[in-house]
Amino acid sequence: TMIEQFYDLKPQVLELDRKTLELCRDQFAHLEEIRDYNQLKMLRAFTDCGVEARHFLGSTGYGVWDDSRNKLEEVFSRCMGAEDALVRPQFMSGTHTLTVALFGLLRAGDTLLAATGRPYDTLEGVIGLDGKGKGTGTLMDYGVNYDEAPLKADFTPDYNLIAQKAPGAKVCHIQRSRGYLQRNAFDLATIRKIADTARAANPEIIIFVDNCYGEFTQTQEPCQVGADIAVGSLIKNPGGGIAPTGGYIVGRKDLVELCAYRLNAPGLGKELGCTLETPRDMYLGFYYAPGVVCEAIKTAIYAQCVLELLGKKPIPRYCEAHNDIVTCFDAGTAEALIGFCQGIQAASPVDSYAAPEPSPEPGYTDEVVMASGSFTQGSTIELSCDGPLRAPYTCYLQGGLNFAASRAGVLLAVQKAYFKE
């Protein structure tokens, strides 16, 4: 195969590659249909909103009357099926965007209900769970209460428990992607069912979806299936690997405005916030996102199939539905986890010479080993791989700007982890 001309791969690894490509053909065709639908939806959003070349120019200072920013937010809300959007380079990460949204919506005495169990590690310090971040300005420091409906043993939502707890809650938090849990991401039908269950028990409840890693994996987005607000990062799916920073909040107009007051200041909201040199990259990245997400899921499916042929049990399986761009599997040993990450790093376009080593990571409990040779620091729509150093040494693989290069990365990772001399 072509890949042999560029990388020294063992015959067993090349045979795995051949089998995998054969097995994945139908899955790839299905993904391309989703991609094409989302790309046409994206094109219509751009043309219906009347994007012009002048909208690629940014602003400085206060950014008052920033047409580029306002138009981008219009395109986002149109494409995401929402009333309004807040799309800003001032959002530093997905966690920061989620934090702004939660603080925007919750007040002292309110309760945040986590309907899909304990949120992702980095949110524990934002909420103040188990005393984390106490005194640093967590939600709990501000008198916000927390309740959760743990997932059932099979990682499905506990609808009875959600119905029981929803009446006391102001915000119902749904995490679409898995975090560091070995479950598949939730599809939109599940998100709709959680929303309907919570709303039946409490018509006033705000349905809040952490949409990180989920954008453009299906032909709709959370606001089209009952979410009041959905939040994500531009250095994941919707930035298409081109947006250099930022995050987005989309949803009901009144709620987006509350979030804007929190990002900016009460009374100022969406009116301020300069865009500097970012608009062109944000428009271009968003436009490219459906295609890039397709390449990332192809990478995931390919990796899952290779791993399954090796006797590993990746989640999800290559032949199942994909609702985020993440794959996880138990590497088995610390050495295999580190080896896999080192293989991914070796096939990265940036810093390929580096060998990832485990180290402490802010916001995480255990040491984490992380491979990410990316054009944008920390970008997880680009091929990256990480895992906490605790048994059973679960590895989380995500991203891939294009399948041809990511396939090479997966083969090198598998060879380094499981085909040592």
Side-chain angles (χ1 to χ4, degrees):
T1 66
M2 200 186 299
I3 221 159
E4 291 173 83
Q5 295 175 40
F6 297 95
Y7 289 101
D8 185 18
L9 294 166
K10 298 184 173 161
Q12 314 95 290
V13 176
L14 290 168
E15 179 53 22
L16 267 177
D17 173 58
R18 189 192 61 73
K19 268 192 198 159
T20 298
L21 288 174
E22 226 168 82
L23 286 166
C24 293
R25 203 175 293 138
D26 289 350
Q27 298 296 118
F28 285 1
H30 173 62
L31 285 180
E32 284 159 11
E33 281 175 24
I34 295 173
R35 173 198 67 198
D36 293 353
Y37 181 93
N38 284 328
Q39 193 62 61
L40 291 169
K41 175 171 74 171
M42 179 67 74
L43 178 60
R44 277 309 300 253
F46 270 70
T47 55
D48 291 351
C49 294
V51 174
E52 302 170 36
R54 68 184 179 89
H55 291 131
F56 302 152
L57 302 172
S59 58
T60 58
Y62 295 138
V64 182
W65 305 304
D66 185 325
D67 261 0
S68 308
R69 180 194 69 209
N70 298 344
K71 184 59 72 179
L72 180 62
E73 291 179 337
E74 196 187 320
V75 172
F76 252 82
S77 47
R78 175 74 59 102
C79 198
M80 295 287 206
E83 286 177 10
D84 201 4
L86 189 64
V87 184
R88 303 290 164 114
Q90 285 83 5
F91 287 125
M92 287 180 265
S93 64
T95 302
H96 180 221
T97 316
L98 288 160
T99 301
V100 166
L102 290 169
F103 272 93
L105 300 175
L106 291 155
R107 303 285 177 267
D110 288 343
T111 296
L112 169 65
L113 170 63
T116 50
R118 182 64 57 111
Y120 186 69
D121 292 35
T122 55
L123 275 190
E124 292 182 2
V126 172
I127 297 164
L129 297 178
D130 304 329
K132 276 191 186 161
K134 195 173 169 59
T136 61
T138 64
L139 283 167
M140 287 181 170
D141 285 343
Y142 279 93
V144 172
N145 304 309
Y146 172 80
D147 196 7
E148 70 182 44
L151 294 173
K152 293 178 15 192
D154 62 357
F155 295 121
T156 56
D158 189 333
Y159 296 105
N160 292 335
L161 197 55
I162 293 167
Q164 217 175 301
K165 292 180 176 246
K170 170 83 173 286
V171 169
C172 171
H173 169 281
I174 300 168
Q175 183 176 295
R176 188 169 180 182
S177 196
R178 74 203 65 201
Y180 277 153
L181 260 192
Q182 291 212 33
R183 66 165 173 88
N184 199 351
F186 292 124
D187 61 7
L188 293 174
T190 306
I191 290 171
R192 185 193 289 276
K193 194 172 171 190
I194 297 170
D196 290 347
T197 304
R199 215 175 257 126
N202 175 2
E204 297 301 301
I205 202 163
I206 297 165
I207 308 296
F208 178 108
V209 176
D210 172 353
N211 203 26
C212 284
Y213 298 114
E215 300 90 351
F216 302 122
T217 58
Q218 293 182 250
T219 54
Q220 287 184 299
E221 296 299 326
C223 291
Q224 295 168 295
V225 297
D228 294 305
I229 202 144
V231 182
S233 160
L234 294 190
I235 63 168
K236 296 186 175 77
N237 304 17
I242 296 171
T245 186
Y248 75 89
I249 297 171
V250 292
R252 252 170 51 192
K253 198 172 176 58
D254 58 326
L255 302 180
V256 170
E257 195 171 341
L258 288 174
C259 298
Y261 291 145
R262 175 67 202 199
L263 175 65
N264 190 347
L268 296 177
K270 289 183 73 181
E271 303 304 313
L272 266 65
C274 71
T275 49
L276 302 173
E277 305 294 313
T278 61
R280 181 182 173 275
D281 288 346
M282 287 188 170
Y283 279 101
L284 188 59
F286 192 49
Y287 185 75
Y288 259 88
V292 172
V293 169
C294 177
E295 296 291 282
I297 304 180
K298 276 186 176 176
T299 304
I301 285 174
Y302 175 83
Q304 288 151 11
C305 190
V306 168
L307 289 160
E308 193 163 309
L309 290 171
L310 282 172
K312 303 285 152 198
K313 289 187 175 160
I315 297 172
R317 289 187 64 204
Y318 76 95
C319 48
E320 291 175 339
H322 285 68
N323 309 304
D324 69 358
I325 60 167
V326 186
T327 295
C328 61
F329 69 97
D330 291 342
T333 64
E335 189 190 20
L337 172 61
I338 294 163
F340 196 90
C341 288
Q342 289 179 348
I344 292 290
Q345 187 75 32
S348 297
V350 185
D351 295 334
S352 58
Y353 64 88
E357 289 291 332
S359 64
E361 199 74 26
Y364 297 88
T365 316
D366 300 275
E367 283 198 330
V368 173
V369 60
M370 196 170 280
S372 177
S374 53
F375 292 94
T376 299
Q377 188 191 54
S379 164
T380 39
I381 188 63
E382 300 182 55
L383 186 64
S384 57
C385 185
D386 60 276
L389 253 78
R390 55 172 180 247
Y393 302 102
T394 307
C395 186
Y396 296 83
L397 174 74
Q398 62 262 321
L401 294 179
N402 62 71
F403 175 64
S406 304
R407 172 183 159 206
V410 170
L411 292 175
L412 282 179
V414 161
Q415 181 161 289
K416 211 161 170 45
Y418 299 112
F419 290 93
K420 290 207 163 151
E421 293 306 335

